[in-house]
Amino acid sequence: MTMQARGFVALWHNVPPGIDEEYNLVHTREHVPDYVANAAGRGGIDSGRRYSEGKGQLPAYFMFYPARDMSAFARLAQKPWPEHPGGSSIWFNAIIDQYRDSWRNNCRLLAQRGGGTGGAASSLIMPLSEEVVAGAPIVDDVLAWLIGLPPVVAVHLGVTDPDIAPNRPPLTRHDTAVGVMVIEGFSRLLLAQLLPEILSRLEQSGIATEKPRYGLYQLAYELRAEELDQVEPFPGRPRRW
């Protein structure tokens, strides 16, 4: 594949209540810088975000990694540590072993509208029709409607790529296409009030072939690749980026 394939990596999980504090510490002060540093400059992800306080049908934590070239990210993901972007330390491994209800979708971007980073977001998972994956005009119409809602600042729609492993649950080319939509806004309360209408519109328009599963989140941390030099490791921990 010679052309860049824009996309994103979307991940969800829960952790036991007793390790929330440690999880947030290691994920913020080590794992996100580690992950972004190992993908930056190789055609992969440019930034990383963690969302928390999730409410809805999806797990309580949501991670979003926009990528300018998912084909490059796929090649990178096949490499061993330290070049693999998910390479982990002993500290982080002690936490990741306690993840529960993990979901992961490596997505090719179908469409997006808007810009900036909202302080709140809703992530949605839904089965997609073949017409939507092929770029049906209704996609542009619905995204234009979404960006016209008062609290919405950006919308991203992707389709899970079965050729980029791992996806959790696993996906093959013979399975129904799985879409992920991320709706960013400046108000979690206003997004929550609009969600029933948004879910119905996605299903009635034919973008989703059944009602999407959703989570509603608060932004906890964002790191861009150009900020890595300013990020300091937590005291007593080595710098890994």
Side-chain angles (χ1 to χ4, degrees):
M1 188 171 186
T2 56
M3 294 184 64
Q4 289 188 339
R6 297 170 66 195
F8 55 83
V9 182
L11 305 98
W12 299 259
H13 52 253
N14 290 315
V15 297
I19 69 162
D20 274 287
E21 185 175 344
E22 185 76 3
Y23 162 79
N24 279 283
L25 175 61
V26 63
H27 201 277
T28 303
R29 299 298 298 272
E30 183 179 276
H31 183 64
V32 173
D34 203 9
Y35 198 96
V36 172
N38 277 285
R42 298 186 179 96
I45 60 175
D46 290 316
S47 64
R49 305 180 201 169
R50 182 179 71 262
Y51 293 86
S52 62
E53 302 179 26
K55 302 295 182 184
Q57 301 153 320
L58 297 177
Y61 288 102
F62 169 55
M63 273 58 60
F64 183 60
Y65 296 94
R68 64 188 181 280
D69 189 356
M70 287 299 291
S71 59
F73 183 84
R75 293 191 297 272
L76 180 62
Q78 301 304 314
K79 297 183 178 182
W81 174 254
E83 290 185 279
H84 190 292
S88 300
S89 67
I90 295 174
W91 189 22
F92 183 67
N93 281 338
I95 298 295
I96 198 172
D97 286 345
Q98 301 185 67
Y99 278 15
R100 303 290 184 269
D101 313 311
S102 293
W103 295 69
R104 178 187 178 115
N105 294 70
N106 300 307
C107 296
R108 174 171 54 86
L109 187 68
L110 292 177
Q112 66 179 12
R113 291 287 298 264
T117 302
S122 180
S123 59
L124 301 90
I125 300 177
M126 67 199 92
L128 301 176
S129 68
E130 293 181 4
E131 292 77 14
V132 168
V133 175
I138 191 62
V139 173
D140 290 335
D141 294 343
V142 171
L143 263 63
W145 173 77
L146 283 166
I147 205 68
L149 298 175
V152 176
V153 299
V155 186
H156 317 267
L157 175 64
V159 58
T160 306
D161 190 334
D163 294 330
I164 304 179
N167 287 299
R168 291 189 295 269
L171 193 70
T172 73
R173 294 184 181 185
H174 304 293
D175 295 323
T176 300
V178 176
V180 175
M181 178 176 280
V182 180
I183 304 171
E184 301 185 57
F186 58 74
S187 167
R188 178 170 166 166
L189 176 60
L190 292 177
L191 277 181
Q193 293 172 346
L194 287 168
L195 261 177
E197 183 180 2
I198 291 172
L199 297 176
S200 294
R201 182 69 175 262
L202 290 172
E203 187 177 16
Q204 292 170 6
S205 69
I207 287 185
T209 59
E210 61 185 52
K211 185 161 287 188
R213 288 165 290 182
Y214 73 93
L216 183 65
Y217 302 89
Q218 192 73 32
L219 180 64
Y221 183 62
E222 179 182 41
L223 176 65
R224 299 180 181 275
E226 60 267 25
E227 301 169 321
L228 281 165
D229 289 343
Q230 285 73 53
V231 176
E232 296 190 18
F234 189 70
R237 299 289 177 176
R239 184 184 184 93
R240 293 169 51 87
W241 53 89

